[in-house]
Amino acid sequence: MNSKVGCSSEPSGCIARISARHYGYRLALLRGLLVVTLLGFPVLRVPPQQIDMDALSAEEEFRWGVRAFQNARYNEAIMSFEQSLAHRPDVPIVREWLGRAYYYSGFYEPAIDVWETLIAEGYGHNRLANRIELIRASQGVGPETAPEDRYVVSAEINGRQADQVVFQRPTSVEPLANGSFMAASYGTHEIHVFDANGVVIQTLRGGLEGFNRPFDIARDRSGRVYVSEFGADRISVLDHAGRRLFSFGGRGIGEGSFLGPQYLTLDDEEFIYVSDWGNRRVSKFDREGGFVLSFGRPRAGFSGLSRPTGLVYLDGYVYVADAGNQAIFVFDTSGNYVRSIRELGLTRPESLSAYTGGRLLVANGSEIVLLDPERETVRRDFDLDQPPSKITSVQVDANGNIITADFDADKIMVLSPMSSLYAGLDVRIDRVNSDNHPEVLLEISVRDRSGRSQLGLGTPNFVITEDAGGILQGPEVIFAGHERSPVEAAVVVERHSSMAAYSNEIRRVTEDLLGTLGSNARSFVVGGEEAPGIVAARSESNSDKARAAAGGDYHESAAVDRALRLAVGSLIDSPAPRELVLLTDGAAKEDRFSSFGLQETLQYLHVNDVRFSVVYLESGIAVAELEYLVEETGGRSVYAFEAAGLAPFVDHMLARRTGRYVLRYVSAKDTEFGRRYIPLEIEVAHLRRTGRDETGYFAPLRF
C-alpha cells in the first residue's frame, strides 16, 4: 500500500512518516545553505541565539504541508499546517491552507470556521466568502436551473464573418457530449462542428455525393450521425468521424419514401422517426434504414397531420409539431394517436426538444417556448436581444445553455440562465504539480454556480498569473474531462459477516463488472475490513481482482466509510472520471458510517469529484444511506443479476464527462532552490462568464 492511501485511511500512520520527513528536510536545508555558499552567494552569519527557530520550523512545516496537499495527502497536510501554526499562530496564509486541507478532506464545517475567522480579521474577504457561499449552496451534483430563471443571449455566431460565409440558413443544431455542437447549413450544403467557443473545428460535406439541403441532425448512442436531406429526399447515415456509411429513403409517396424530409428523433430502442413535410406523415425506420411504419393520416378522432415539422421522443411517446394545425400531437411508438396540445399560443411550432422535468422546448416562429405537456402550460422565459426572424431549432447543450438556429437571420445564438451570467463560474485549482519546474501542471475543475461541469473549454479560455507578475497566455491543455478517456474505478467490497455467504457471487459480479468495463477503466479493489486496504492493484488481472474481492476476512463491524475514504484517496491520483462501486448484500447495519459520518463521506466524494454507485447482491434492496450517496453524486444502484446484466450500469459509468482540465505551462519564476512560495492565480472566461481561483506551490528542493 502506498503512503498516500495509508494516510487517507489511517491518520495516525502518517505521523511517523512526517517526523522522518522533517528530519530529512532539516538535513537538506543545511546542505542547501552549503550549496549557496559554494555558488558564491553571501551567507548571512547569525549567532545561534538570534535564530528564530519557531519561524524556521513554521516555514518548514508550511512548505511540507503545501507539498503534501499538492500530492493529495490531505491528512498529512492538515497536521503540517497545524504544527506550523503551533509555532506561529498568526500567519494568515497558513490558516487559509489549513481550511483548504479540511475542505478537500470532506470536513466542510472546520474549513468554514477557519475561513470565517480570517474574513472577520480582514483577510481574503472576497475569495474566501465566495468559496463559503459555494459550499453552502452545494447539494451533491447540483440543482437544476430553476424553471423561473430567465435565459438571455450570451453569444451570437454569425453566418457571415468579415468577408467569408461560414454558414448560411442554419436549420438545425445538435449538441455533443463534449460541449461542442453540430449545425446544418442548409444554404451551403454543409454540416459544421463548432467548439464550445463557437469556432468551427470540422466541416462535413457528405463525401463524393455531397449533401443536398441538409436539414436536421440526430445521433445515436454509438456515435452514428443521421442527416435528413430535404433536397435529396433521403436520410444519410455517417460514422462518428463524419464519413458516409449509407443512405435510405428516396423521392416518392410510397412507404419509406419522402417528399421533403425535415426533423429527426430517436427512441430508446434507437428507431428513427422522420417528419415528412410533403407526404404529411411521420415515418419510422430501424437504425439500418429498414422501413417499419408511418403515421399521421386521418383516422377516427384525428383529422391528420397538415404540415408536420419538429418531433421529439420523450418518456415513451412521440411528440409531433404541426405548423398547419398550430398544435402538437402525441403518438405512441406504434403510431397510435394519443392526444393533441392546442390553444397555447403556438402559431408556428417547428423544432421540439426535451428539457428538464419532462418539459419541451418549442421553436415557435420567432420565439422560444417552454411547454409542460402534462399540465398543458407554457412559459416564455427567453429574452432575445432582438426579435429573430425564424427559429428552426432549439436544443440544450452539455453545459446547460440553449442553442438556437435562426434560419432567416443566418445566425446561431447561445442563451444562458441570467443568474449564471451574474454569478459567474466556480473555478477550483485542485492540484499543482511542480516536480519538473519550470514546467508546471495545473489540475483545475470548472463548473457553473449550480454545480454543472463546464465542458469543451480550451487554451483561449484560460489565463494564468504567477506571483502577481506577467500574464502567462496560452497554457497547453493536456487533459480535458469532456473527452472520452478510461475511467478510474474502485470496487469496494463490504466485509460485514453477513457477506461471508456471498463469496461466489462477489467473485462472479466483480469479474463481470470489470470485464464489461474492459480497457475503458483502470480499476482496483478495496476490502472493507476493520482495517481496510487495497487487496488488488490496478496492475493485476481481472480474475485476480475477482479472487481478491471474494477473499479476505469478515467482521461484525460494518464501518464502510473508512473503506470508501481509502478508495477515494487512490482515485484522485488521476484527473480522469472517478467511479466508486460498492458491493453489498444490503442488510440492515447501523454502523456503516460510524467512523466519519454520512455527510462527511458525501462531502469527501463530492469535493473530489467521485461518483458513487451500488451493486446489490440481493434483489429488491435499497439502503437509504447508500441511495442518498448515489443520488447526490449522480451514480446508480442496480441488482447484480438483472436480466439486462451490468452493461447498462457500465454504459452509465463510461458516458460520464467532467469539467476537469490539466494545463501545462512554463514558469519564469525563480524558486530559490525550492524554498520560495510562488503564488498562482487562474482566470477562466466563457460566454460572458468568468471565474477565478488562487493557490501557490513550492518546487522540489534542489541543491
Side-chain angles (χ1 to χ4, degrees):
M1 185 185 303
N2 62 42
S3 62
K4 190 185 86 170
V5 174
C7 287
S8 296
S9 60
E10 297 289 344
S12 61
C14 299
I15 297 175
R17 279 188 289 277
I18 292 174
S19 299
R21 176 64 174 146
H22 287 170
Y23 175 80
Y25 179 89
R26 291 186 177 94
L27 183 60
L29 185 62
L30 293 175
R31 290 174 178 166
L33 292 175
L34 177 60
V35 170
V36 171
T37 304
L38 292 175
L39 289 174
F41 291 97
V43 177
L44 182 63
R45 298 183 180 275
V46 182
Q49 64 271 21
Q50 295 183 21
I51 296 177
D52 188 338
M53 294 305 297
D54 276 337
L56 182 63
S57 296
E59 290 175 8
E60 175 186 333
E61 295 286 357
F62 176 57
R63 183 189 184 282
W64 172 238
V66 171
R67 292 285 293 171
F69 180 95
Q70 303 295 14
N71 284 285
R73 298 196 300 270
Y74 303 130
N75 287 336
E76 295 182 32
I78 288 171
M79 286 186 282
S80 284
F81 295 140
E82 288 179 339
Q83 290 184 39
S84 177
L85 291 169
H87 292 288
R88 279 294 180 88
D90 57 345
V91 183
I93 192 171
V94 181
R95 293 158 64 191
E96 180 181 353
W97 271 96
L98 175 61
R100 188 190 297 255
Y102 280 138
Y103 173 56
Y104 277 84
S105 295
F107 303 124
Y108 287 3
E109 290 307 318
I112 290 173
D113 287 345
V114 171
W115 290 337
E116 285 183 336
T117 302
L118 285 170
I119 292 172
E121 295 172 2
Y123 174 84
H125 181 275
N126 291 338
R127 180 177 69 258
L128 298 181
N130 177 63
R131 180 56 55 196
I132 292 170
E133 178 187 344
L134 288 167
I135 294 173
R136 294 295 192 201
S138 66
Q139 297 176 356
V141 175
E144 300 286 355
T145 301
E148 63 273 9
D149 198 0
R150 300 192 68 81
Y151 279 75
V152 296
V153 175
S154 56
E156 286 190 3
I157 308 168
N158 292 306
R160 179 177 289 275
Q161 299 176 14
D163 295 328
Q164 180 182 4
V165 175
V166 179
F167 59 86
Q168 189 176 60
R169 298 211 158 194
T171 49
S172 173
V173 290
E174 173 69 8
L176 304 180
N178 63 3
S180 60
F181 65 92
M182 306 176 79
S185 177
Y186 184 88
T188 61
H189 309 282
E190 297 170 323
I191 292 174
H192 298 296
V193 182
F194 294 83
D195 68 13
N197 294 309
V199 177
V200 175
I201 55 176
Q202 186 181 11
T203 297
L204 309 178
R205 297 185 173 88
L208 294 176
E209 294 182 60
F211 293 127
N212 189 345
R213 303 298 185 192
F215 195 94
D216 197 16
I217 309 164
R219 298 174 76 249
D220 67 16
R221 289 188 292 270
S222 71
R224 270 188 177 183
V225 179
Y226 301 85
V227 180
S228 62
E229 296 184 62
F230 190 88
D233 294 308
R234 68 186 178 191
I235 309 299
S236 289
V237 184
L238 318 178
D239 66 13
H240 68 280
R243 295 180 290 261
R244 185 189 294 272
L245 298 175
F246 61 91
S247 300
F248 61 89
R251 185 173 182 80
I253 61 174
E255 299 286 30
S257 299
F258 303 113
L259 290 176
Q262 290 191 331
Y263 291 93
L264 307 170
T265 193
L266 278 71
D267 65 18
D268 290 337
E269 298 180 57
E270 300 202 320
F271 286 101
I272 305 143
Y273 300 80
V274 185
S275 66
D276 188 338
W277 174 268
N279 284 316
R280 301 185 180 186
R281 67 190 179 199
V282 173
S283 295
K284 178 179 179 179
F285 300 84
D286 64 30
R287 69 189 306 269
E288 301 304 322
F291 175 76
V292 178
L293 57 86
S294 65
F295 55 91
R297 298 178 183 84
R299 61 181 63 183
F302 175 56
S303 60
L305 296 174
S306 172
R307 297 178 185 174
T309 51
L311 69 168
V312 66
Y313 171 82
L314 181 65
D315 297 334
Y317 296 99
V318 180
Y319 293 78
V320 181
D322 190 326
N325 284 309
Q326 298 183 338
I328 295 174
F329 296 107
V330 186
F331 301 85
D332 65 21
T333 55
S334 297
N336 298 306
Y337 170 72
V338 177
R339 64 189 177 96
S340 64
I341 301 172
R342 298 176 179 270
E343 299 178 357
L344 296 175
L346 301 177
T347 56
R348 287 189 296 161
E350 290 254 359
S351 165
L352 302 177
S353 63
Y355 192 68
T356 60
R359 294 168 293 174
L360 299 177
L361 283 171
V362 184
N364 183 47
S366 61
E367 68 171 351
I368 302 170
V369 173
L370 182 60
L371 167 68
D372 186 327
E374 291 301 315
R375 296 182 175 87
E376 295 197 9
T377 58
V378 297
R379 299 182 66 95
R380 290 172 167 83
D381 294 323
F382 307 92
D383 293 334
L384 305 170
D385 288 342
Q386 56 186 5
S389 303
K390 181 182 180 182
I391 297 177
T392 52
S393 184
V394 54
Q395 298 279 348
V396 180
D397 75 0
N399 291 326
N401 304 302
I402 292 175
I403 309 177
T404 69
D406 189 329
F407 183 78
D408 288 340
D410 287 339
K411 67 181 178 181
I412 295 169
M413 291 182 292
V414 181
L415 290 83
S416 303
M418 183 182 296
S419 62
S420 75
L421 297 183
Y422 287 121
L425 297 172
D426 173 17
V427 178
R428 276 190 354 208
I429 302 173
D430 293 323
R431 296 168 71 180
V432 180
N433 183 338
S434 59
D435 289 348
N436 296 314
H437 195 276
E439 178 185 87
V440 179
L441 304 182
L442 211 61
E443 183 178 321
I444 70 169
S445 59
V446 185
R447 301 179 180 180
D448 66 16
R449 305 291 279 205
S450 70
R452 185 194 295 266
S453 292
Q454 296 299 287
L455 312 180
L457 305 184
T459 293
N461 300 105
F462 304 112
V463 175
I464 296 172
T465 306
E466 277 193 344
D467 201 12
I471 294 175
L472 302 171
Q473 295 280 6
E476 179 186 2
V477 180
I478 63 172
F479 174 86
H482 56 258
E483 300 295 350
R484 186 177 291 276
S485 63
V487 303
E488 293 289 323
V491 178
V492 177
V493 182
E494 197 170 46
R495 289 282 173 80
H496 186 266
S497 57
S498 65
M499 290 280 286
Y502 293 92
S503 59
N504 290 334
E505 288 85 352
I506 292 170
R507 180 171 178 173
R508 174 183 165 189
V509 170
T510 303
E511 193 152 18
D512 187 19
L513 174 63
L514 299 182
T516 307
L517 282 168
S519 61
N520 295 305
R522 298 175 66 246
S523 60
F524 60 93
V525 179
V526 173
E529 291 97 342
E530 286 184 324
I534 294 178
V535 297
R538 291 176 173 91
S539 59
E540 298 183 45
S541 68
N542 287 346
S543 57
D544 286 343
K545 291 173 184 175
R547 278 193 294 271
D553 299 324
Y554 295 86
H555 307 272
E556 290 304 316
S557 171
V560 75
D561 51 358
R562 293 162 62 87
L564 298 184
R565 289 186 71 88
L566 189 152
V568 172
S570 284
L571 285 171
I572 56 181
D573 280 339
S574 168
R578 301 157 182 169
E579 302 285 334
L580 195 162
V581 180
L582 176 69
L583 302 189
T584 178
D585 60 348
K589 305 177 182 76
E590 295 182 356
D591 59 345
R592 276 193 173 95
F593 297 93
S594 58
S595 295
F596 290 96
L598 178 63
Q599 194 61 31
E600 288 73 15
T601 300
L602 171 62
Q603 291 167 178
Y604 191 49
L605 291 164
H606 186 237
V607 73
N608 289 293
D609 206 14
V610 177
R611 192 162 63 175
F612 177 79
S613 297
V614 179
V615 175
Y616 291 106
L617 300 177
E618 289 287 346
S619 62
I621 300 294
V623 178
E625 294 171 317
L626 301 181
E627 293 299 315
Y628 172 67
L629 296 182
V630 168
E631 180 179 357
E632 292 297 318
T633 63
R636 285 194 176 179
S637 59
V638 65
Y639 170 50
F641 305 108
E642 293 280 2
L646 292 175
F649 180 79
V650 169
D651 287 344
H652 179 252
M653 294 172 65
L654 298 180
R656 187 182 182 197
R657 301 289 188 274
T658 72
R660 189 170 296 278
Y661 302 85
V662 177
L663 312 179
R664 177 166 56 200
Y665 71 93
V666 177
S667 171
K669 297 300 178 182
D670 179 9
T671 69
E672 296 180 8
F673 302 98
R675 289 186 293 277
R676 179 187 177 194
Y677 178 77
I678 301 178
L680 173 68
E681 177 183 326
I682 187 167
E683 183 171 7
V684 182
H686 183 233
L687 299 180
R688 291 172 53 188
R689 293 176 293 181
T690 62
R692 58 187 292 274
D693 194 19
E694 299 177 16
T695 187
Y697 67 89
F698 287 96
L701 285 170
R702 303 189 188 280
F703 308 107

